[in-house]
Amino acid sequence: MSKLPDFEGLAMFAKVAEERSFAAAARAMGVSVATVSRGVTRLEQRLGGRLFNRTSRRLALTDYGHTLAERASRIYAEAEEAEDFARETSSRPRGLVKLAAPLSFGARWVAPMLPEFFRRYPDIAVDLHLTDAQTDLIGGGFDAALRIAVLEDSSLVARLIAPVHRFLVASPGYIARYGRPKHPHDLEAHRCLSYANRAKRDVWRLTHRKTGEECPITPTGPLRGTSVEALLPTVLEGLAITELPEFIATQYFPNKQLEPILTNWRLPEGGLYFVTPTARARPAKVSALADFLIAGLTDARWSAEVAMGWKPPAQRSRKA
């Protein structure tokens, strides 16, 4: 005999006891009379006692049935309440959402949006993990993540929010001291800072905007870091060149702390994505956060074009 209680049999017994009829119980539960009869008979055999006295015209609980009916009804009611609560939770935004986001982007653009989100959805809490390391959504128990990447094939479900350009940048002081690179090959003679947390070796793959010429460059310099914050001080001090996503770079272009170099060349364009383990049966709390973040980030206020009207030379010349 299975050690698992016969919840179905108990539920059918409770309904029959309440309705005083196998037929009425079957209608209430949306099953056949034969199914209810088999469920009750199976429960009686499991428990070793008769629950009902049955005749062709009358159905009555036995004394043994009376001792069990109240408890079975309570189990049935609690099961209904549990299902109602689960349905309400899945359809009404409430509960905890575990979200991963890139360190710099999350601190600069996601965290400031959350007060308004909490005003709209007071029953949702967010467990925000900021890291530039690639997070394992399924293994880490995450509900969702914001990712900025050239997204490879994945079993995850990703929705593109906005494209993200990348720039090679240097300070005016660096350019005055070491000169402005004219071609990617010139970077081999320069100090170039790179990221230490990429899955593959850090290579800058530049493509000329007009000719399509491709030029991969392996950056070499005195520092590798796991985040933009680790590289920025050295670059701002005029000691090196680095690659920055535009949501960081645009903060330093207007006041000329940094400026883009090799603007006739482009790095592979990535994107900002909202990523979830699956789109099937997504809880309302995750859908609410997804819709809120996507609506707030789609206009890409942090992009070079929106922030300062900057366009690469190829786009400017075509427009002219």
Side-chain angles (χ1 to χ4, degrees):
M1 180 187 297
S2 171
K3 294 182 179 180
L4 181 68
D6 186 357
F7 292 108
E8 183 183 62
L10 286 166
M12 291 179 174
F13 162 64
K15 204 64 179 174
V16 173
E18 177 187 337
E19 298 288 344
R20 293 292 193 269
S21 165
F22 278 78
R27 285 193 299 271
M29 291 185 288
V31 297
S32 68
V33 175
T35 297
V36 176
S37 179
R38 284 194 298 269
V40 172
T41 299
R42 183 180 67 244
L43 182 64
E44 289 177 327
Q45 292 171 348
R46 179 186 178 94
L47 300 179
R50 181 179 290 277
L51 298 171
F52 293 104
N53 288 317
R54 308 168 191 149
T55 67
S56 59
R57 295 185 178 182
R58 189 168 179 270
L59 177 71
L61 285 166
T62 64
D63 289 341
Y64 180 57
H66 273 293
T67 65
L68 184 62
E70 183 178 348
R71 291 186 178 183
S73 295
R74 188 161 59 245
I75 291 170
Y76 187 91
E78 289 177 355
E80 284 187 319
E81 288 177 7
E83 286 195 351
D84 290 343
F85 174 79
R87 278 192 291 267
E88 182 183 8
T89 300
S90 66
S91 62
R92 184 169 59 130
R94 62 182 298 173
L96 176 67
V97 179
K98 191 175 180 182
L99 175 72
L103 176 59
S104 302
F105 186 83
R108 176 67 179 84
W109 295 102
V110 178
M113 297 175 65
L114 292 180
E116 175 59 26
F117 177 77
F118 294 138
R119 280 192 285 268
R120 293 189 193 182
Y121 301 99
D123 294 329
I124 298 180
V126 176
D127 193 347
L128 181 61
H129 292 246
L130 299 181
T131 175
D132 286 332
Q134 181 91 333
T135 51
D136 179 357
L137 262 66
I138 297 174
F142 287 91
D143 296 294
L146 287 168
R147 285 188 177 166
I148 295 175
V150 180
L151 206 64
E152 299 177 353
D153 291 340
S154 170
S155 60
L156 304 175
V157 178
R159 177 172 172 182
L160 177 64
I161 299 175
V164 178
H165 302 287
R166 297 153 65 200
F167 295 91
L168 294 181
V169 300
S171 71
Y174 180 93
I175 294 171
R177 183 175 181 182
Y178 299 104
R180 182 186 295 274
K182 303 296 185 184
H183 189 278
H185 288 308
D186 296 340
L187 294 172
E188 295 171 358
H190 288 264
R191 294 179 173 186
C192 299
L193 309 188
S194 60
Y195 296 95
N197 60 348
R198 289 189 170 159
K200 300 177 182 179
R201 189 178 181 186
D202 198 9
V203 177
W204 296 345
R205 303 187 182 279
L206 293 110
T207 303
H208 197 276
R209 295 183 184 279
K210 290 184 178 179
T211 67
E213 177 189 355
E214 297 181 355
C215 188
I217 298 294
T218 300
T220 57
L223 176 65
R224 298 180 72 218
T226 58
S227 69
V228 169
E229 284 74 14
L231 306 183
L232 267 173
T234 301
V235 177
L236 289 168
E237 284 293 323
L239 299 178
I241 293 169
T242 197
E243 167 213 329
L244 293 180
E246 62 184 320
F247 63 85
I248 295 293
T250 53
Q251 300 175 55
Y252 300 96
F253 288 171
N255 59 9
K256 306 297 184 182
Q257 288 179 276
L258 296 174
E259 56 184 271
I261 61 173
L262 294 172
T263 54
N264 284 317
W265 298 75
R266 61 178 176 83
L267 290 159
E269 183 179 284
L272 171 64
Y273 294 88
F274 189 89
V275 182
T276 53
T278 177
R280 185 172 53 196
R282 178 188 291 173
K285 60 184 181 180
V286 177
S287 294
L289 183 60
D291 293 343
F292 179 83
L293 292 176
I294 290 169
L297 296 170
T298 298
D299 63 0
R301 298 185 303 277
W302 36 265
S303 72
E305 185 173 341
V306 174
M308 51 181 293
W310 186 90
K311 289 180 180 292
Q315 292 186 20
R316 288 201 297 266
S317 61
R318 282 199 301 269
K319 194 169 183 179

